[in-house]
Amino acid sequence: MFRRFSVQRPEPKGELEHVNPFTLVVAVALSAQATDAGVNKATRALFAVADTPEKMLALGEEKVRDYIKTIGLYRNKAKNVIALSQMLVDRFGGEVPKTREELVMLPGVGRKTANVVMSMAFGIPTMAVDTHIFRIGNRIRLAPGKTPDEVEDKLMRIIPKPYLFHAHHWLILHGRYCCKARKPECERCVIADLCRSPEKTCSVPAPLVELPPQQIGLE
């Protein structure tokens, strides 16, 4: 499975625009209940004037709101951006920490955001389970789970180590552009023959059972 993803997208990239770890933290925090495209549109101008915690604090909450007002929940998100910037200055010397335990201390930063930052900013293999990965993990029976944490735990245990670093991007992009929520495009899916989903449209679906990794074809 992941060998096929690696051939399809040898170097998958996240779609949130950023220039350093700080702007990545902000962008991912802003992306909750918003599209990457919408966040990018708002943050291009913001990051041009405030690409460090110090500059963000100098800008102030009201002006941050003006930059991101096209994003859902922008008032609360602007408050969090200022609060996390303040914590970075006061507690971490203006630098974004590298550990999950420290990252989730930041206002507006949860486990998913921390995992994205650890992977994209610091090259640490993680599994950031967003709505796409949660859906795919359950839909194709790769890593069934009732919560994102359950899906994350299963994926981290079953994905072969050589593929782990890029795996979350492969799954996110697969969910965003092929295995879509409302109308999956099974006819062009590179893993259609391995899929165990009852929603599969390109052939008769296999029985809905959780298979061991070797039978799913993770390699």
Side-chain angles (χ1 to χ4, degrees):
M1 176 183 292
F2 288 96
R3 181 187 59 78
R4 297 184 194 180
F5 285 147
S6 71
V7 172
Q8 183 185 44
R9 293 187 176 96
E11 294 292 332
K13 302 293 183 183
E15 296 183 327
L16 283 173
E17 297 174 5
H18 61 283
V19 296
N20 56 33
F22 170 68
T23 55
L24 177 61
V25 171
V26 172
V28 180
L30 293 177
S31 70
Q33 299 181 38
T35 66
D36 287 1
V39 172
N40 290 338
K41 185 175 180 181
T43 57
R44 286 180 193 124
L46 173 62
F47 293 158
V49 297
D51 59 357
T52 68
E54 294 82 1
K55 291 178 183 178
M56 196 68 74
L57 290 171
L59 195 61
E61 185 178 331
E62 184 176 347
K63 288 185 178 178
V64 171
R65 282 203 307 265
D66 289 340
Y67 278 103
I68 68 170
K69 61 186 177 182
T70 56
I71 301 174
L73 307 175
Y74 73 95
R75 293 182 184 277
N76 190 57
K77 289 179 179 180
K79 185 178 296 185
N80 282 336
V81 168
I82 292 299
L84 73 83
S85 298
Q86 190 69 62
M87 181 176 284
L88 286 173
V89 170
D90 293 344
R91 187 159 186 164
F92 299 106
E95 299 294 324
V96 175
K98 295 183 179 181
T99 69
R100 183 183 293 110
E101 292 73 20
E102 291 174 316
L103 284 165
V104 298
M105 293 178 186
L106 300 173
V109 175
R111 186 180 180 89
K112 187 201 79 171
T113 297
N115 283 342
V116 172
V117 173
M118 290 167 64
S119 174
M120 294 180 63
F122 304 120
I124 301 170
T126 60
M127 181 55 60
V129 179
D130 68 348
T131 56
H132 297 298
I133 293 181
F134 185 74
R135 179 177 71 254
I136 290 174
N138 282 284
R139 175 184 274 170
I140 72 174
R141 313 309 293 167
L142 175 62
K146 294 181 179 180
T147 68
D149 285 355
E150 286 183 17
V151 173
E152 177 187 338
D153 180 64
K154 288 184 178 181
L155 288 172
M156 291 296 291
R157 284 190 285 108
I158 67 174
I159 295 174
K161 190 173 181 179
Y163 299 108
L164 187 56
F165 180 68
H166 287 313
H168 83 281
H169 276 140
W170 281 324
L171 291 172
I172 287 171
L173 294 172
H174 186 63
R176 183 173 293 164
Y177 297 114
C178 184
C179 196
K180 300 174 183 178
R182 295 185 180 180
K183 192 177 180 181
E185 299 181 9
C186 303
E187 67 280 357
R188 65 183 190 87
C189 176
V190 297
I191 59 168
D193 58 317
L194 304 175
C195 178
R196 299 285 161 178
S197 172
E199 301 174 59
K200 187 166 62 172
T201 59
C202 59
S203 64
V204 178
L208 189 59
V209 295
E210 184 174 354
L211 298 179
Q214 63 268 25
Q215 290 188 38
I216 299 175
L218 289 173
E219 290 287 348

